[in-house]
């Protein structure tokens, strides 16, 4: 059962990819701390995963969906 629509999937995939790549390529001071880099990559991977599977457990728990109904 999927509960993530196409626009939501695209936004999640782009944001997830950005969060995974930023600690390695941005050079910003916040990413110099290991904890923030790990958190950023972890959140990014979760976003990419929810985009890939079109399923968000938080949406499911709250009874939400961003898919259009036919």
């Amino acid at each position: 059962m999927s509960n993530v629509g196409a626009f939501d999937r695209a936004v999640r995939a782009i944001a997830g990819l950005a969060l995974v790549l930023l600690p390695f390529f941005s050079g910003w001071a916040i990413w110099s701390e290991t904890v923030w880099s790990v958190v950023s990559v972890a959140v990014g991977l979760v976003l990419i995963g929810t985009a890939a599977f079109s399923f968000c457990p938080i949406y499911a728990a709250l009874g939400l969906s961003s898919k259009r109904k036919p």
Side-chain angles (χ1 to χ4, degrees):
M1 175 170 81
S2 64
N3 60 2
V4 178
F7 180 75
D8 196 358
R9 285 180 71 190
V11 170
R12 287 170 185 255
I14 292 167
L17 187 61
L19 285 173
V20 168
L21 295 178
L22 270 175
F24 302 107
F25 297 110
S26 73
W28 294 345
I30 191 170
W31 306 122
S32 63
E33 301 232 7
T34 305
V35 68
W36 292 115
S37 295
V38 171
V39 168
S40 176
V41 171
V43 170
L45 290 174
V46 168
L47 288 173
I48 291 170
T50 58
F53 292 109
S54 295
F55 179 76
C56 177
I58 295 174
Y59 278 11
L62 297 174
L64 301 173
S65 177
S66 63
K67 287 189 81 159
R68 291 185 184 200
K69 301 205 183 255

